[in-house]
Amino acid sequence: MEHEISELKVENLVVRYDTEDSIVHAVNDVSFEVPKSITMGLVGETGAGKTTTALAIMRLLPDPPAKMISGKIMFNGEDINSYSEVKMDATRGQEISMVFQDPMSSLNPVMTVGDQIAEVIMLHQNKSKKEAALGAEEMLRMVGISSDRANEYPHQFSGGMKQRVMIAIALACNPKILIADEPTTALDVTIQAQVLSVMKDIKKKYDTAMILITHDLGVVADICDTVAIMYAGRIIEFGTIEEIFDDYKHPYTKGLFGSLPNLERRNEKLKPIKGIMPDPSDLPAGCHFHPRCEYASEICKTMVPERIYFSKTHYVECLGYKKGSGVEIKGGDIK
């Protein structure tokens, strides 16, 4: 899958949280591209660094304690870290928007949902109050909420509807990039499907590029074009949806799929990944996944894996594919 236009390019991003007790290595040399109209799934366990990566792109890292140590975040050929605060305020919401994880705490409880959407439109599009109100009603209709509910308050909406309101706010100015952080968490399966349907419609209508942060591979299969598997602050495998689902290479990716129930093989036991995600303030040396990896050898404890490419779009960070490493992972062995 090749694309000519790259809207967003993250290069060698490193983010740390400096606390009184320790240094938390949250994001460790992350690079990826999100071309126009493509949805990238950013997948991993809690604590993998997914939300920190998103906050760095939005330039919303809590400073202190968070600090972007190095790297570039290129948007349309410019590093957003070179933007003035005024330019970043204009970019945030208008060109790059984010749907945050918890709509309950993200919406203002004392403002109507219509006013909250209209506020974004007035701020970024220089519209009158009346024009913004009409725009807000249109956005509500687009996410499947009746426009006559614009004068209601967040507490009058269900969790799924609040999430849709958040999507309406994020899309009010037709941004080029939408970052959705666990947009279906805490929603039941039916509402989850409705929210995903709204996001797919939006993608088709506006040609919006998206980063979908999730730990749910079912959601990824439903909506994403490319997938980045993140572990302990690194992207350890990246590929198209077909490459990751049909031909995954990393032992951790194997573990993610092995812990999913298979309706065709109901008698098979699930194979959860042993151990837990390492403490980001005390990461293992070498390959961060080695303490949990069934294929790990002595070299994995000291050597940091480099990228091994299987195609232009598919790479993995695993010593098992490095010639001469002594780590044995054969092609069919990983399945």
Side-chain angles (χ1 to χ4, degrees):
M1 189 183 290
E2 292 184 47
H3 309 279
E4 291 180 5
I5 304 166
S6 177
E7 296 282 7
L8 181 72
K9 190 173 184 179
V10 175
E11 299 176 1
N12 309 112
L13 179 66
V14 177
V15 180
R16 291 181 190 152
Y17 291 84
D18 289 336
T19 67
E20 286 182 13
D21 305 322
S22 60
I23 296 172
V24 176
H25 301 269
V27 178
N28 304 303
D29 198 21
V30 159
S31 300
F32 59 82
E33 287 185 56
V34 186
K36 186 179 180 182
S37 77
I38 290 301
T39 297
M40 184 190 86
L42 193 54
V43 180
E45 294 170 84
T46 301
K50 306 183 301 293
T51 299
T52 297
T53 300
L55 292 175
I57 293 167
M58 295 296 292
R59 242 173 71 176
L60 289 174
L61 287 168
D63 183 11
K67 206 81 176 168
M68 183 172 155
I69 303 299
S70 59
K72 290 181 180 178
I73 298 166
M74 307 299 289
F75 178 60
N76 290 338
E78 287 185 284
D79 187 351
I80 65 166
N81 287 305
S82 68
Y83 287 8
S84 66
E85 286 297 331
V86 172
K87 186 173 181 180
M88 193 62 216
D89 284 343
T91 301
R92 205 185 288 124
Q94 185 167 13
E95 305 227 46
I96 308 175
S97 273
M98 186 164 173
V99 179
F100 291 91
Q101 202 163 3
D102 183 11
M104 319 295 176
S105 59
S106 301
L107 290 168
N108 187 332
V110 296
M111 277 178 80
T112 66
V113 297
D115 282 348
Q116 292 186 59
I117 301 168
E119 185 177 53
V120 176
I121 295 170
M122 284 191 290
L123 182 67
H124 290 295
Q125 295 192 338
N126 202 22
K127 298 272 180 80
S128 68
K129 195 170 183 179
K130 189 176 180 181
E131 287 171 323
L134 290 171
E137 289 178 6
E138 187 186 334
M139 291 307 300
L140 283 174
R141 283 193 295 271
M142 194 189 74
V143 296
I145 298 174
S146 173
S147 58
D148 57 17
R149 299 198 66 181
N151 293 322
E152 293 182 16
Y153 291 86
H155 73 270
Q156 294 171 277
F157 290 80
S158 67
M161 284 201 162
K162 282 180 188 157
Q163 193 61 281
R164 290 195 220 179
V165 171
M166 289 297 300
I167 292 169
I169 291 170
L171 292 167
C173 297
N174 188 13
K176 291 176 181 174
I177 307 271
L178 175 67
I179 302 172
D181 189 1
E182 301 276 9
T184 57
T185 296
L187 302 179
D188 66 51
V189 178
T190 310
I191 304 300
Q192 216 179 75
Q194 290 173 3
V195 170
L196 288 175
S197 177
V198 165
M199 293 178 76
K200 282 192 278 191
D201 289 346
I202 284 155
K203 179 183 168 183
K204 195 180 280 186
K205 184 175 179 180
Y206 290 120
D207 227 16
T208 307
M210 287 167 53
I211 298 174
L212 180 67
I213 296 171
T214 185
H215 58 267
D216 189 332
L217 288 165
V219 170
V220 170
D222 194 25
I223 201 169
C224 295
D225 303 294
T226 59
V227 190
I229 306 290
M230 201 165 184
Y231 185 82
R234 296 183 72 90
I235 291 175
I236 55 165
E237 185 162 9
F238 184 93
T240 65
I241 191 82
E242 295 83 8
E243 286 166 337
I244 297 299
F245 275 70
D246 299 338
D247 193 26
Y248 53 78
K249 300 292 186 184
H250 200 284
Y252 177 66
T253 313
K254 176 188 176 180
L256 291 180
F257 281 98
S259 58
L260 291 174
N262 190 322
L263 293 177
E264 292 172 11
R265 298 194 295 272
R266 293 178 182 228
N267 295 329
E268 280 189 16
K269 287 186 176 181
L270 298 181
K271 298 171 186 171
I273 306 166
K274 67 178 184 179
I276 58 170
M277 175 82 75
D279 181 348
S281 65
D282 187 23
L283 290 172
C287 172
H288 298 329
F289 185 60
H290 84 257
R292 304 173 73 185
C293 182
E294 61 183 299
Y295 302 98
S297 68
E298 284 303 308
I299 197 170
C300 301
K301 298 176 183 178
T302 54
M303 183 181 281
V304 177
E306 59 194 49
R307 284 185 181 182
I308 307 289
Y309 280 85
F310 298 93
S311 73
K312 285 183 179 178
T313 51
H314 190 192
Y315 71 77
V316 69
E317 290 189 353
C318 175
L319 291 165
Y321 299 96
K322 181 180 171 65
K323 287 179 183 175
S325 70
V327 185
E328 285 293 317
I329 296 182
K330 298 181 179 69
D333 196 27
I334 199 77
K335 290 294 181 189

